[in-house]
Amino acid sequence: MKEPTPPAPTPIDARREARWLYWQCWRLVDIAEKLALPLSTIASWKARDKWDDASPLERMEGITEARYVALVNKPVKTGGDYKEIDLLGRQVERFARVRRYEAPGGHEGDLNPKVANRNAGPKKKAAKNSFSAEQVAKLVAAFDQGLFGYQRRWADAGDQRSRVILKSRQIGATYYFAREALIDALVTGRNQIFLSASKSQAHVFRSYIVEFCKSVADVELKGDPIVLDRGEGQEPATLYFLGTNARTAQSYHGNLYFDEFFWVYGFAELEKVASGMAVHKKWRKTYFSTPSSVNHGAYPFWTGALFNRKKAKADRVDIDVTWANLRHGQVGPDRKWRQIVTVTDAEAEGCDLFDIAELRDEYSADDFANLFMCEFVDDALSVFPLAELQPCMVDAWEVWDDFAPLRERPYGERPVWIGYDPSHKGDSAALAILAPPSALGGPFRLLEKAQFRGMDFAGQADAIRQACDRYNVQYIGIDATGLGQGVYQLVKAFFPAARAINYSAEVKNRLVLKAKDTITRRRFQFDAGATDVASSFMAIRKAVTDGGRQATYEAGRSEETGHADLAWAIMHALDNEPLEAGYAGAGSRSFMEFSE
């Protein structure tokens, strides 16, 4: 018997057409009727080919393909047919891009060729410290707003070749000149040089500039020095922040801002270098400072005596440096523009930051005159004249490589000693953290200092506790005389080895003699920017007891002044080392045994 002939296979086109019709929402029964196929066959294809599991992209691709094939197979085509064929062909290209985007490693450039082309070329580095014209305009406007009268006068004198300003403390000079220099750099392209007694003090300018640019123009400045990008076709301007290392910075040039020049060590040498940075006539020089001692090297520079030196008598000039003559600023015969701004001048010209009556109560008449009324100190009667203190003033950022003040443990696990002078009636409290010498006869270093006003016993004790959390404290010396006893008792609760220093004429003599010996032998170092430390020591003078029978020392200990509290706090820490400990042959004990 002859075997039956097997049925011919169903054309693949019918299977595809059935799937395309299903994706166009046709029912299975309607698809079977249209294609003249059994319903069971259509249902079998649907199950085996998983039509329902197809993604939207697959369905769109299928329907597009069906329409494309149908149009291409038409024997006679209209103009509309050709347009649709072209459109469908471009649609297939888009489907291919979506496929690449969905594949591993796909990205936005797979969907949009313009993005890919844009990213294909070499990447242009984002400009650093860049300012647009609009941002510069915002900074200029912000700088001009809210100036006090004396600051406006400084701005008006900005075209002077040399400005020399004697000022009260805390009237915003550093703040103002930081902004003035930035604006000048952005507008004119001139470099700006900030010179201070120490690198840390110079960086106060930098912090003001960085904050100003961020808050007003939303530009985050980077670098040290800071190089300003002034835009295409404009020369950049550089901001330099220098400490005493500027003695070797001969190559710098620009406008010069010399901060606290009455306190720097070796002013004559440093001023030669500083003025050399601004020797060209286009540069400007600005010197500003609180007063120190009439014996400081910058005093002849201020009075004009330096200008007259080595000049013939007929060529010498008289320069009136009294407050009455200079309160509004004036150009002298030596072509320097000078001004004196006291705290009362500042208040009269809009500065409302002070309560002058309270300051007069808090400071002695001499201290108030020096700190706020721009009067120089004649330190000839001081136990610690400025000439002795200046060799102890160092650029801490440059010479102390084992101290990082911004870290959680600034001095690691190395030992420190703390001296504390509590707050009495009307004065402030002072905290001094000293690094003791690492070897016999080595220097003490003032790592940190702080002053507190208006704090009760618990608050003062908590300030000491916080210092103990940050440092490996081995010794704490506290003035426990009178009201200081309360602070001492609270500190002793968490630091049992705290030592009470009960004042008497003999104790004062011991403290001062130890400090005098340490300072004159240059065994004490503190950052040159800490002019308040030098002022505090300079305020200490010889005195006699009430009975007039015994010599002693006074300053900042009476109720009328708190100016010398930093000096006494430092001396409380130094007191942990016996007077003879710093000398060779002081005994067989090691240095660290003295603290036990």
Side-chain angles (χ1 to χ4, degrees), residues 152-163 180 337:
R152 181 76 61 188
R153 195 171 287 113
W154 295 343
D156 293 341
D159 60 346
Q160 295 291 331
R161 168 75 170 144
S162 297
R163 292 177 294 181
E180 178 193 87
W337 185 89

Side-chain angles (χ1 to χ4, degrees), residues 365-570:
D366 289 343
D367 293 336
F368 183 84
N370 171 241
L371 296 173
F372 302 106
M373 299 304 291
C374 300
E375 294 186 14
F376 287 87
V377 173
D378 184 353
D379 60 350
L381 299 179
S382 174
V383 178
F384 302 96
L386 183 59
E388 288 185 3
L389 292 164
Q390 282 191 300
C392 301
M393 302 168 76
V394 301
D395 193 338
W397 282 20
E398 297 289 335
V399 301
W400 297 351
D401 57 5
D402 57 352
F403 177 61
L406 299 181
R407 290 181 183 172
E408 186 176 353
R409 301 283 288 181
Y411 198 50
E413 296 305 317
R414 290 175 289 276
V416 301
W417 298 352
I418 287 181
Y420 194 75
D421 187 55
S423 174
H424 294 267
K425 293 180 180 178
D427 66 357
S428 61
L431 172 73
I433 301 176
L434 269 63
S438 57
L440 188 66
F444 289 88
R445 293 180 290 165
L446 179 62
L447 303 181
E448 190 174 317
K449 61 181 176 63
Q451 290 176 280
F452 314 100
R453 191 176 295 275
M455 291 174 57
D456 57 16
F457 291 159
Q460 295 182 58
D462 188 61
I464 298 175
R465 183 192 58 75
Q466 291 180 36
C468 291
D469 291 340
R470 299 176 65 230
Y471 291 91
N472 177 18
V473 179
Q474 300 294 309
Y475 163 83
I476 300 177
I478 303 176
D479 171 16
T481 308
L483 298 176
Q485 183 65 218
V487 179
Y488 167 70
Q489 292 297 335
L490 291 176
V491 171
K492 196 171 178 63
F494 61 80
F495 194 90
R499 177 181 161 201
I501 299 175
N502 294 295
Y503 266 70
S504 64
E506 291 80 6
V507 170
K508 279 188 180 181
N509 289 342
R510 184 187 75 221
L511 293 172
V512 171
L513 288 175
K514 174 61 182 177
K516 181 75 171 177
D517 177 76
T518 304
I519 289 171
T520 55
R521 295 174 57 216
R522 302 189 180 184
R523 294 189 57 229
F524 178 53
Q525 295 180 356
F526 62 99
D527 188 79
T531 59
D532 51 349
V533 174
S535 295
S536 190
F537 274 103
M538 288 167 61
I540 298 175
R541 292 176 171 82
K542 286 185 179 181
V544 294
T545 59
D546 293 338
R549 295 183 298 273
Q550 187 175 5
T552 185
Y553 303 92
E554 289 185 354
R557 300 300 307 163
S558 65
E559 295 180 4
E560 65 179 2
T561 174
H563 181 44
D565 47 9
L566 275 174
W568 293 112
I570 291 168

Side-chain angles (χ1 to χ4, degrees), residues 257-277:
Y257 291 87
F258 199 158
D259 178 30
E260 294 292 5
F261 67 97
F262 272 119
W263 295 94
V264 299
Y265 181 46
F267 171 79
E269 175 193 353
L270 196 56
E271 205 280 325
K272 287 179 182 177
V273 176
S275 60
M277 298 176 186

Side-chain angles (χ1 to χ4, degrees), residues 10 14 29-39 41-42:
T10 305
V29 64
D30 295 330
I31 296 172
E33 182 179 349
K34 175 177 175 56
L35 299 179
L37 293 171
L39 177 62
T41 300
I42 304 299

Side-chain angles (χ1 to χ4, degrees), residues 91-117:
Q91 190 63 40
V92 171
E93 181 186 350
R94 293 191 181 97
F95 291 148
R97 292 197 206 113
V98 174
R99 288 286 187 190
R100 289 196 299 271
Y101 175 74
E102 292 181 341
H107 53 82
E108 186 181 353
D110 294 326
L111 294 176
N112 187 351
K114 293 182 179 179
V115 173
N117 294 337

Side-chain angles (χ1 to χ4, degrees), residues 130-151:
S130 179
F131 292 84
S132 66
E134 181 184 3
Q135 289 171 319
V136 172
K138 284 183 178 179
L139 289 167
V140 171
F143 167 70
D144 192 58
Q145 292 174 356
L147 293 181
F148 298 131
Y150 54 93
Q151 293 173 328

